[in-house]
């Protein structure tokens, strides 16, 4: 106590108990709270989740329509989605509140509106004058089912045909039913004894709007006089009716039927048609035409200076030749059949005029197929197709993987475009200009490039420019060319052996790593062609435990990291000189082609790694891939373990089962398997449920693995056995893993590699004298473990090609609950540490490089053995960085997130993301000059957490996970972007940035542009004289209030959100008008007051003039002296 008093006296400070406690606290070594000093700039108001644009082909299309004045195309789908397309870059996606299919689309030509008819018997009026179309009115029929609708040009009345055969009329402006109804029994009267069936067609006569043509499914056709409310003419066809088309003169119409025939009728009643034909019928041996498929739709379009065109879909014979879907164009005696690749859903003929009573002069056909959109050029010989500028071929082969890179290097898109421009397809029309030219491009340009890479079932990859709201294909890479064609066998279960499962691209170095189910490919980008002999490695990943080992040779502790070389074997491993039985078991799912072949500019294969089968079982699916250009390493994991590949020396550094990565620190008791006997290299005698033996450990020096450096040959391959593959059809594992908090006594048979990260990081708890980073590989597993592997790299240059890479365990293991999904690093200031990467530069000719590598081959093997076996591995000084402060490592699993401080390995922050659900995708992203952790949870929530504190700053219920496709393709990217495959044919971009959400309207194009409607055709003098000319019809008088009220309960009117918007706009406009009116009234009142004052002054002036005149008259004759 005296000493303390003296100290306090010397320091001149007053002694207190608090000071003693503070001193004791300071004497305890605690990690510095550097993270508390980090200022986090992201706030909740910086985030807002919304859908931006949708690209691709509308999934399961049902209807198509075209506005001939605005040149806008609309496509409806089975799920109720509506796509409105203009010129390339003008693309809008809308969706109904219900998921009812769109049966029909009707444009209000040049009015900025359209009507959709849905399968739930509802009508919706859309207003697309604004950038985001909205529903103005909806009308839901409750007693009858809608089958067909028709709206005459420039009419505000809509004809609606129903399943009962009745025709109702709706006012488009108010969506109120008219009292005017055409009942089926009155339409057919005694011409038919039975019900005519549903209404399948409605149209008015082109030259007489008072005549409505009604077509019933049974073949009965009625020409109804709207004014007199009677059936003027009735026609009866023995075959079921599918569609009707008028000739523009209004004197004839053509019908298509279910037996593949076309019939032509005049206005006068006749028992038989004027003409009947089977365009594609073949005459059989009995002299009768063979049966044909129905003609689902027909169009009859006239040409001013030529014969009319008859265009129809279907009608082909039922033989083999007729199985191909087709569109037929008949021009006089010439008949052209246009074969389609998919079933025809609908088509629409594009004409120069919207007037049905004028020469149509068609110039194109828009054909909506089940999986494509085709536009045929009718003005060129042979009717070639236009090249589709929309990204409608996204699903050319089914999409199996997707990656999204926002804010990538600006030279990447031009590079891909330059190599992809040579891949242009041919055979399209020479006519310039896509016919759909409506709308206007957005005014706001994108400030940074965005790239989407899609992987497909046929092994191809497509690179897309996704900047702003556009999507344009840049380049296509076919990886199937690397492999031999698979032989079709009854036992083969995989129909798509080359399907792309995972994609990783380093945007700086342009290295591309792509994985299939059991093969991993590395590509390098080059602007030059090259002749290449593709190098490949064949390897296996396995872990196996014996429950009865009768040989003392097997009595050894659990192995640490290890590898297999070609020159020395190891216990439980196969070497290159094994028995014939082992060699015969060496099979792979795919086989790489041998020999040199030419590769065009773009991505060229640098190395292919193929996992081999073991004991007749396919390898586990690859679940994670990663490549690093600075380290020269590639890593991939599957359901059983991990492989690390040195792609510069083209050798396998490590291929181990996941349990071997733990070494002696395995927290789980692995499920034992049946014994193999004394000769593990013999593939025979394995039990049905057995898993393979433990992985080998070769050249292990104090727990260190040294790599062989010889180039892999076809017959020289290290083989490691693997666990039995499960859930192969699932691709990347999507099943929920066990919690990592499970008891260590539980038996675990499989642990997949879920996440990989190369980084210069701290590997273990060290003192200040050893406080430095080194190259590492962080490995996350499906059971929630994070294992750190140290990589000792030789110096760069020739030594990197000649000296081996040393792989060793660090002893560092972290454990979280749930599978590990993402890992990333921050520096001491909370700034994201990007993956070390080299900038891309054109490499020398591959042929020369390969010859140099072969020259180094022999020295490589020798150098491997010359290394001192007694020295402990040291961190390479060339790759080490002195750092006085710590790092943060962010680890996110399916259940929680943690921020660990390095090198102290203490948990700085943690957060429980979800308890009842699981995280599907997680990523540390850059946004607003800061970083955050983004998570997509299976319950539909998109969540954001600030870093490093892991404070929740966003939690929005956005998209419940109901489709495995979404889980496989959901991607977060930088700058507030994300996307997912919303259907097999469409990709949906979303944003979680409030800034982008606010400016989205400026990024979208305009759909409607004000323009003049073409004038009605002028009729000649003699035509008017003899035909009477087009008659007019006062529909307001017929269908308006005078028609009475519609039946109660027939339909229910529902105002849409667009109506409220219009009402708000009209209210605002009305307020402005009222204010202007009030101002005008005030001005008028002031002018009135001024006018009164002026009149008063005028009256006073007149009185003054009269008084002056009287005075003058009184003194007029007097002299001056008389005053």
């Amino acid at each position: 106590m005296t000493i303390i008093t003296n100290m306090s006296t010397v320091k001149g400070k007053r002694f207190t108990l608090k000071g003693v406690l503070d001193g004791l606290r300071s004497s305890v070594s605690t990690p510095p709270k550097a993270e508390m000093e980090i200022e986090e700039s992201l706030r909740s108001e910086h985030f807002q989740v919304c859908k931006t644009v949708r690209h691709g082909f509308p999934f399961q299309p049902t209807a198509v329509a075209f506005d001939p004045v605005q040149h806008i195309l609309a496509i409806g789908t089975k799920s109720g989605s509506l796509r409105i397309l203009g010129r390339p870059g003008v693309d809008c996606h809308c969706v109904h509140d219900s998921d009812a299919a769109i049966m029909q689309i009707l444009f209000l030509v040049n009015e900025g509106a359209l009507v959709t008819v849905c399968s739930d018997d509802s009508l919706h009026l859309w207003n697309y004058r604004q950038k985001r179309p909205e529903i103005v009115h909806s009308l839901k029929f409750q007693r009858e089912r809608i089958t067909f609708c028709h709206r005459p040009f420039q009419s505000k009345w809509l004809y609606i045909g129903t399943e009962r055969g009745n025709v109702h009329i709706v006012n488009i402006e108010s969506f109120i039913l008219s009292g005017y109804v055409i009942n089926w029994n009155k339409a057919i009267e005694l011409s038919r004894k039975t019900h005519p069936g549903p209404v399948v067609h409605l149209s008015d006569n082109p030259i007489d709007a008072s005549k409505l043509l009604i077509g019933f499914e049974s073949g009965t056709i009625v020409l109804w006089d709207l004014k007199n409310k009677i059936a003027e003419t009735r026609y009866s066809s023995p075959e079921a009716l599918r569609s009707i088309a008028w000739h523009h003169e209004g004197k004839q119409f053509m019908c298509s039927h279910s037996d593949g025939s076309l019939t032509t009728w005049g206005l006068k009643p006749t028992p038989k048609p004027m003409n009947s034909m089977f365009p594609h019928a073949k005459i059989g041996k009995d002299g009768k035409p063979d049966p044909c498929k129905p003609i689902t739709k027909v169009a009859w379009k006239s040409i001013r200076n030529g014969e009319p065109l008859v265009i129809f879909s279907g009608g082909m014979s039922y033989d083999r030749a007729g199985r191909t879907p087709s569109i037929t164009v008949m021009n006089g005696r010439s008949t052209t059949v246009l074969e389609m690749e998919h079933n025809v859903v609908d088509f629409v003929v594009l004409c120069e005029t919207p007037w049905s009573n004028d020469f149509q002069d068609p110039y194109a056909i828009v054909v909506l197929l089940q999986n494509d959109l085709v536009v045929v050029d009718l003005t060129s010989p042979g009717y070639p197709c236009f090249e589709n500028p929309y990204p409608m071929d996204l699903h050319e082969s089914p999409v199996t993987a997707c990656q999204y890179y926002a804010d990538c290097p600006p030279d990447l898109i031009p590079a891909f475009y330059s190599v992809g421009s040579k891949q242009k397809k041919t055979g399209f029309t020479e006519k310039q200009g896509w016919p759909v030219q409506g709308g206007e491009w957005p005014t706001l340009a994108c400030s940074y490039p965005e790239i989407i890479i899609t992987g497909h079932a046929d092994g191809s990859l497509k690179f897309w420019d996704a900047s702003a709201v556009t999507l344009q294909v840049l380049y296509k890479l076919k990886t199937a060319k690397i492999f031999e064609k698979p032989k079709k066998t009854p036992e083969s279960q995989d129909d798509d052996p080359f399907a792309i499962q995972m994609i990783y691209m380093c945007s700086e170095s342009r290295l591309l790593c792509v994985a299939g189910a059991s093969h991993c490919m590395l590509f390098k980008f080059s602007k030059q062609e090259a002749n290449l002999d593709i190098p490949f490695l064949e390897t296996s990943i396995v872990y196996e435990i014996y429950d009865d080992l009768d040989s003392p040779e097997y009595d050894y502790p659990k192995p640490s990291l290890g590898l297999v070389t070609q020159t020395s074997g190891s216990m439980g491993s196969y070497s290159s000189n094994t028995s014939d039985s082992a060699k015969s078991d060496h099979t792979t799912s795919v086989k790489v082609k041998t020999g040199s072949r030419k590769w065009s500019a773009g991505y060229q294969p640098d190395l292919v790694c193929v996992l081999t089968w073991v004991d007749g079982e396919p390898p586990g699916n690859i679940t994670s891939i990663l490549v690093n250009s600075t380290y020269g390493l590639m890593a991939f994991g599957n359901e059983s373990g991990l492989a690390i590949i040195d792609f510069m020396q083209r050798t396998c550094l490590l291929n181990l089962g996941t349990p071997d990565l733990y070494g002696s620190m395995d927290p789980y008791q692995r499920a034992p398997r049946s014994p193999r006997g004394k000769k593990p290299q013999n593939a025979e005698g394995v039990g049905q449920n057995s898993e393979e033996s433990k992985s080998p450990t070769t050249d292990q020096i104090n727990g260190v693995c040294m790599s062989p450096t010889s180039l892999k040959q076809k017959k020289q391959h290290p083989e490691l056995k693997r666990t039995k593959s499960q859930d192969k059809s699932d691709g990347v594992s999507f099943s929920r893993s066990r919690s990592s908090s499970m008891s260590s006594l539980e038996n675990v048979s499989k642990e997949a590699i879920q996440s990989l990260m190369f980084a210069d990081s701290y590997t273990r708890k060290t003192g200040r004298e050893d406080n430095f980073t080194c190259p590492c590989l962080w490995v996350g597993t499906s059971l929630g473990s994070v294992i750190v592997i140290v990589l000792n790299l030789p110096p760069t240059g020739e030594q990197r090609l000649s000296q081996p890479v040393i792989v060793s365990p660090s002893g560092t293991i972290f454990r979280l609950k749930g599978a590990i999904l993402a890992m990333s690093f921050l520096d001491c200031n909370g700034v994201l540490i990007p993956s070390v990467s080299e900038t891309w530069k054109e490499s020398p000719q591959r042929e020369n490089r390969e010859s140099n590598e072969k020259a180094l081959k022999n020295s490589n093997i020798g150098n491997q053995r010359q290394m001192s076996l007694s020295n402990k591995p040291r961190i390479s000084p060339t790759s080490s960085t002195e750092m006085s402060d710590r790092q943060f490592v962010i680890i996110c699993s399916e259940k929680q997130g943690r921020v660990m401080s390095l090198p102290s390995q203490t948990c700085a922050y943690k957060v429980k993301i979800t308890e009842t659900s699981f995280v599907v995708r997680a990523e540390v992203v850059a946004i607003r000059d800061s970083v955050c952790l983004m998570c997509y949870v299976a319950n539909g929530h998109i969540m954001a957490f600030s870093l490093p504190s892991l404070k929740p700053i966003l939690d929005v219920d956005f998209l419940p996970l109901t489709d495995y496709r979404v889980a496989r393709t959901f991607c977060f990217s930088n700058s507030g972007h994300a996307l997912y495959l919303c259907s097999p044919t469409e990709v949906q971009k979303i944003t979680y940035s409030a800034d982008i959400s606010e400016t989205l309207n400026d990024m979208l194009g305009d759909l409607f542009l004000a323009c003049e409607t073409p004038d009605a055709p002028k009729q000649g003098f003699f035509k008017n004289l003899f035909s009477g000319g087009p008659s007019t019809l006062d529909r307001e008088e017929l269908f308006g209030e005078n028609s009475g009220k519609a039946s109660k309960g027939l339909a229910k009117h529902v105002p849409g959100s667009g109506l409220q918007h219009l009402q708000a706009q009209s209210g605002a406009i009305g307020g402005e008008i009222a204010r202007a009116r009030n101002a005008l009234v005030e001005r008028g009142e002031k002018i009135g007051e001024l006018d009164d004052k002026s009149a008063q002054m005028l009256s006073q002036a007149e009185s003054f003039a009269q008084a002056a005149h009287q005075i003058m008259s009184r003194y007029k004759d007097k002299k001056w002296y008389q005053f």
Side-chain angles (χ1 to χ4, degrees):
M1 185 65 66
T2 307
I3 296 173
I4 295 177
T5 305
N6 292 338
M7 289 178 63
S8 62
T9 306
V10 172
K11 291 181 179 180
K13 294 183 180 179
R14 186 177 177 182
F15 165 73
T16 60
L17 182 60
K18 180 177 181 295
V20 175
L21 293 175
D22 290 341
L24 290 172
R25 289 193 190 100
S26 63
S27 64
V28 178
S29 114
T30 56
K33 299 288 184 181
E35 62 268 20
M36 301 301 292
E37 302 170 6
I38 298 175
E39 182 179 353
E40 297 176 357
S41 58
L42 293 178
R43 301 288 182 268
S44 297
E45 56 268 20
H46 298 152
F47 292 85
Q48 183 181 343
V49 179
C50 72
K51 295 180 180 179
T52 53
V53 289
R54 181 175 292 198
H55 296 298
F57 179 76
F59 182 56
Q60 294 181 330
T62 52
V64 64
F66 184 74
D67 187 325
V69 179
Q70 286 291 323
H71 294 94
I72 289 287
L73 188 72
I75 300 174
T77 72
K78 188 177 180 180
S79 62
S81 292
L82 177 67
R83 288 281 289 279
I84 305 177
L85 303 167
R87 66 182 60 203
V90 178
D91 187 341
C92 181
H93 172 256
C94 320
V95 64
H96 293 82
D97 293 334
S98 68
D99 56 357
I102 297 176
M103 300 192 307
Q104 201 177 348
I105 303 173
L106 304 168
F107 270 102
L108 277 60
V109 177
N110 202 28
E111 296 181 27
L114 60 84
V115 175
T116 54
V117 185
C118 296
S119 60
D120 62 349
D121 308 310
S122 59
L123 305 170
H124 306 277
L125 176 64
W126 292 83
N127 174 25
Y128 66 88
R129 285 178 175 263
Q130 65 263 26
K131 292 187 176 182
R132 300 186 190 181
E134 291 180 326
I135 294 177
V136 180
H137 291 289
S138 293
L139 190 67
K140 180 77 165 60
F141 275 68
Q142 297 175 324
R143 293 183 184 174
E144 299 188 48
R145 298 191 64 84
I146 301 173
T147 54
F148 193 86
C149 294
H150 169 67
R151 186 247 179 185
F153 179 50
Q154 291 187 331
S155 170
K156 69 175 185 178
W157 298 94
L158 179 70
Y159 301 119
I160 301 171
T162 68
E163 193 175 40
R164 292 186 181 179
N166 302 323
V167 178
H168 301 276
I169 301 169
V170 172
N171 186 310
I172 290 180
E173 294 177 353
S174 61
F175 256 46
I176 296 176
L177 273 171
S178 167
Y180 192 112
V181 181
I182 305 173
N183 292 306
W184 67 271
N185 52 358
K186 191 172 182 182
I188 65 168
E189 287 187 346
L190 300 178
S191 64
R192 185 182 177 92
K193 295 181 180 180
T194 58
H195 191 279
V199 175
V200 296
H201 179 83
L202 292 169
S203 61
D204 53 331
N205 190 310
I207 63 170
D208 189 355
S210 65
K211 304 296 190 297
L212 180 68
L213 194 66
I214 308 172
F216 298 94
E217 188 180 56
S218 62
T220 299
I221 304 168
V222 175
L223 186 63
W224 182 263
D225 188 334
L226 292 170
K227 289 182 180 178
N228 298 319
K229 301 182 181 180
I230 59 171
E232 184 173 291
T233 313
R234 296 183 180 90
Y235 312 86
S236 181
S237 171
E239 293 299 330
L241 181 69
R242 288 302 184 95
S243 70
I244 301 177
W246 280 98
H247 188 271
H248 83 282
E249 292 179 349
K251 297 178 180 178
Q252 296 176 342
F253 58 87
M254 185 178 294
C255 305
S256 70
H257 300 276
S258 59
D259 62 346
S261 64
L262 294 173
T263 57
T264 306
W265 303 80
L267 294 182
K268 295 181 180 179
T270 54
K272 292 186 177 180
M274 297 171 57
N275 183 31
S276 179
M277 61 177 173
F278 290 83
H280 294 304
K282 296 179 180 179
I283 305 300
K285 295 179 181 180
D286 55 356
K288 295 182 180 180
D290 291 339
C292 296
K293 296 179 180 179
I295 296 179
T296 54
K297 185 176 181 179
V298 64
W300 195 0
K301 303 297 180 182
S302 55
I303 300 176
R304 193 175 299 274
N305 298 316
E307 294 190 43
L309 293 180
V310 176
I311 304 165
F312 60 89
S313 59
M316 302 296 290
S317 61
Y318 277 101
D319 60 7
R320 180 178 295 273
R323 293 178 184 176
T324 305
S326 62
I327 293 288
T328 303
V329 181
M330 298 174 62
N331 185 9
R333 296 183 178 179
S334 170
T335 300
T336 304
V337 178
L338 306 174
E339 293 186 347
M340 302 293 163
E341 294 183 1
H342 310 282
N343 291 332
V344 178
V345 175
D346 197 2
F347 72 89
V348 59
V349 183
L350 310 190
C351 302
E352 296 288 351
T353 176
W355 297 95
S356 59
N357 61 337
D358 194 7
F359 287 98
Q360 305 298 299
D361 292 326
Y363 57 89
I365 313 172
V366 175
V367 186
L368 180 63
L369 306 178
Q370 193 64 45
N371 284 300
D372 200 2
L373 182 71
V374 176
V375 180
V376 180
D377 181 10
L378 290 176
T379 61
S380 299
Y383 306 132
C385 295
F386 287 91
E387 185 175 7
N388 195 332
Y390 305 135
M392 295 290 186
D393 58 345
L394 181 72
H395 64 294
E396 187 177 16
S397 174
V399 178
T400 53
C402 187
Q403 279 297 113
Y404 185 22
Y405 299 92
D407 202 6
C408 54
D411 59 342
L412 209 52
I413 289 179
F416 290 154
Y417 181 81
S418 65
V419 296
S421 59
K422 302 171 185 177
Q423 300 175 335
K424 293 294 184 183
K425 297 179 180 178
T426 58
F428 297 105
T429 179
E430 296 179 358
K431 188 176 180 181
Q432 298 295 322
W434 176 250
V436 184
Q437 283 293 327
E440 192 173 46
W441 284 325
T443 55
L444 186 64
C446 183
S447 58
Y448 48 83
E450 303 169 46
I451 288 178
I452 296 174
I453 307 176
T454 54
H456 301 265
D458 62 354
S460 62
L461 292 106
K462 289 183 180 179
F463 297 75
W464 306 83
D465 177 6
S467 304
V469 293
T470 62
L471 189 69
Q472 180 183 3
V473 67
L474 297 170
Y475 168 62
K476 183 177 180 180
L477 173 65
K478 297 179 180 180
T479 66
K481 296 189 299 181
I482 296 175
F483 305 100
E484 297 177 1
K485 290 185 178 179
K487 296 179 181 179
K488 294 286 184 179
T489 59
E491 293 81 12
S492 61
Q493 300 176 351
D494 194 355
D495 295 331
D496 301 309
F498 308 131
I500 305 299
Q501 302 291 346
M502 307 200 77
I503 305 169
Y504 177 83
M505 182 185 71
C506 176
S507 57
E508 293 293 336
S509 63
R510 300 185 188 175
L511 283 180
L512 178 68
C513 185
V514 181
S518 61
H519 59 278
C520 188
M521 301 163 284
L522 179 66
F523 293 88
K524 289 187 177 180
F525 187 83
S526 176
K527 293 183 179 180
Q528 302 172 1
E529 294 182 347
N531 290 313
L532 303 175
D533 188 358
I534 303 170
F536 64 95
L537 297 172
E538 292 179 347
T539 186
S540 294
I541 303 174
V542 68
Y543 175 78
E544 191 169 354
I545 297 177
Y546 296 106
D547 53 4
D548 182 16
L549 301 177
D550 55 358
S551 170
E553 294 177 341
Y554 291 145
D555 189 15
Y556 49 78
K558 189 178 293 293
S560 59
L561 296 181
L563 66 125
V564 179
T565 66
Q566 289 82 3
T567 57
S568 64
S570 171
M571 204 91 60
S573 69
Y574 292 134
S575 61
S576 59
N577 57 356
T578 50
S579 62
D580 292 339
S581 62
K583 290 183 179 179
S584 63
D585 190 49
H586 180 72
T587 58
T588 57
S589 299
V590 293
K591 294 188 180 298
V592 179
K593 287 181 181 178
T594 57
S596 179
R597 60 166 299 172
K598 185 178 180 180
W599 283 82
S600 57
Y603 274 111
Q604 299 168 353
D606 189 69
L607 183 64
V608 179
C609 299
V610 183
L611 291 176
T612 59
W613 290 41
V614 178
D615 293 338
E617 288 291 335
N621 290 333
I622 293 177
T623 53
S624 184
I625 59 173
L626 192 64
V627 67
N628 188 283
S629 57
T630 302
Y631 298 167
L633 301 179
M634 176 174 68
F636 63 91
N638 71 347
E639 298 169 358
S640 306
L642 173 70
I644 303 178
I645 308 297
D646 183 348
F647 65 79
M648 297 183 72
Q649 299 183 22
R650 293 175 181 169
T651 186
C652 179
L653 301 178
L654 172 136
N655 47 352
L656 290 181
T658 309
D660 282 341
L661 298 177
Y662 290 98
S664 60
M665 294 181 290
D666 190 353
Y668 303 106
Q669 178 180 343
R670 305 291 167 171
R673 298 300 177 186
S674 58
R676 291 281 303 267
K678 293 183 179 181
K679 294 182 179 180
Q681 71 270 18
N682 190 347
E684 299 177 0
V686 180
Q688 184 176 2
N689 295 327
S690 68
E691 292 192 7
E692 308 306 326
S693 64
K694 65 175 291 300
S695 58
T697 55
T698 301
D699 296 339
Q700 293 186 11
I701 311 160
N702 297 325
V704 178
C705 306
M706 296 191 307
S707 69
T709 56
S710 59
L711 180 65
K712 192 69 184 138
Q713 299 296 331
K714 177 89 174 177
K715 293 185 179 181
Q716 290 183 328
H717 46 270
E719 291 192 65
L720 290 179
K721 301 180 185 178
R722 44 158 297 282
T723 56
K724 182 180 290 186
S725 171
Q726 297 180 5
D727 303 327
K728 186 177 189 305
S729 61
D730 287 345
V732 178
S733 175
F734 182 58
S735 61
R736 301 282 45 84
S737 62
R738 301 185 188 211
S739 167
S740 65
S741 62
M742 63 181 5
S743 169
S744 62
L745 297 178
E746 288 191 66
N747 287 337
V748 178
S749 61
K750 189 169 75 169
E751 186 174 6
I753 304 298
Q754 292 292 101
S755 181
L756 296 169
M757 174 61 70
F758 284 113
D760 282 352
S761 67
Y762 300 95
T763 59
R764 62 184 67 198
K765 297 180 181 180
T766 56
R768 292 186 177 181
E769 66 279 359
D770 263 351
N771 199 13
F772 55 85
T773 62
C774 65
C776 300
L777 175 62
W778 289 62
V779 182
T781 75
S782 58
L783 296 183
S785 297
V786 177
I787 304 167
V788 183
I789 299 173
V790 178
L791 309 170
N792 193 353
L793 302 172
T796 56
E798 292 187 3
Q799 295 183 57
R800 177 64 183 85
L801 295 176
S802 60
Q803 296 182 10
V805 177
I806 300 175
V807 181
S808 61
S810 68
T812 298
I813 296 177
F814 301 101
R815 296 181 64 199
L816 278 73
K817 186 178 181 180
I820 304 299
L821 300 180
M823 295 179 287
S824 193
F825 291 85
L826 304 181
D827 64 13
C828 59
N829 296 315
V831 178
L832 183 68
I833 302 176
S835 298
V836 287
S837 176
E838 293 182 352
T839 305
W840 176 86
K841 59 182 178 181
E842 186 69 57
S843 59
Q845 286 294 327
R846 292 278 296 276
E847 297 89 339
N848 298 334
R849 191 186 72 191
E850 289 177 4
S851 63
N852 293 336
E853 289 177 352
K854 289 178 181 179
L856 290 170
K857 177 181 176 182
N858 296 330
S859 63
N860 289 349
I861 300 175
N863 289 336
Q864 173 190 331
R865 296 300 178 190
Q866 291 171 7
M867 294 191 64
S868 172
L869 302 185
S870 60
N871 293 335
K872 292 186 69 175
R874 289 194 171 271
I875 304 302
S876 170
T878 58
S879 60
S880 300
T881 306
E882 295 287 338
M883 292 188 66
S884 58
D885 285 315
R886 74 174 83 193
Q887 287 179 337
F888 298 106
V889 57
I890 296 96
I891 306 173
C892 183
S893 74
E894 293 175 329
K895 297 289 186 180
Q896 57 187 195
R898 283 189 188 175
V899 174
M900 308 297 295
S901 298
L902 299 179
S904 64
Q905 298 186 6
T906 57
C907 181
Y909 298 99
K910 61 182 178 179
V911 64
K912 186 180 292 183
I913 300 174
T914 178
E915 288 186 0
T916 58
S917 186
F918 59 92
V919 179
V920 176
R921 192 73 65 201
E923 195 74 40
V924 175
V925 298
I927 180 174
R928 291 181 62 93
D929 298 324
S930 187
V931 288
C932 66
L933 173 64
M934 296 298 304
C935 298
Y936 169 52
V937 189
N939 60 14
H941 286 245
I942 290 181
M943 306 175 72
F945 300 90
S946 63
L947 291 175
S949 68
L950 289 178
K951 294 177 182 176
I953 47 180
L954 174 71
D955 188 353
V956 177
D957 189 0
F958 178 72
L959 179 73
L961 181 62
T962 57
D963 194 344
Y964 178 67
R965 182 184 303 104
V966 176
R968 283 290 305 276
T969 57
F970 198 100
C971 304
F972 285 111
S973 192
N974 294 325
S975 304
H977 295 280
L979 66 78
Y980 60 93
L981 206 66
C982 57
S983 74
T985 61
E986 296 168 287
V987 63
Q988 177 70 58
K989 289 176 66 176
I990 65 174
T991 181
Y992 50 88
S993 166
D995 294 338
I996 296 178
S997 300
E998 291 171 1
T999 59
L1000 179 60
N1001 211 49
D1002 297 329
M1003 297 170 65
L1004 299 174
D1006 289 304
L1007 294 170
F1008 179 80
L1009 300 176
C1011 62
E1012 293 293 329
T1013 302
D1015 294 333
K1018 295 180 180 179
Q1019 302 292 333
F1021 172 76
F1022 290 102
K1023 200 167 188 179
N1024 285 330
L1025 180 65
F1026 294 108
S1027 65
S1031 66
T1032 58
L1033 175 68
D1034 188 354
R1035 295 188 178 92
E1036 185 65 36
E1037 183 180 348
L1038 278 175
F1039 309 142
E1041 294 181 358
N1042 296 333
S1043 64
K1045 292 185 177 181
S1047 175
K1048 243 183 179 182
L1050 178 63
K1052 181 181 179 181
H1053 175 254
V1054 181
S1057 58
L1059 180 62
Q1060 299 172 0
H1061 184 257
L1062 290 175
Q1063 286 174 345
Q1065 284 185 334
S1066 62
I1069 294 172
E1072 292 292 334
I1073 293 174
R1075 282 192 290 271
R1077 181 172 173 273
N1078 291 336
L1080 188 62
V1081 170
E1082 290 177 3
R1083 182 172 179 271
E1085 290 176 352
K1086 291 180 179 179
I1087 292 174
E1089 292 176 1
L1090 183 62
D1091 186 52
D1092 292 342
K1093 289 182 180 180
S1094 300
Q1096 187 179 359
M1097 291 176 64
L1098 180 62
S1099 175
Q1100 291 176 353
E1102 288 177 352
S1103 300
F1104 180 77
Q1106 290 176 359
H1109 181 71
Q1110 291 174 0
I1111 292 173
M1112 184 190 70
S1113 299
R1114 183 184 303 175
Y1115 297 102
K1116 180 179 178 182
D1117 299 328
K1118 292 186 178 181
K1119 303 296 182 183
W1120 62 272
Y1121 52 84
Q1122 292 177 338
F1123 289 102

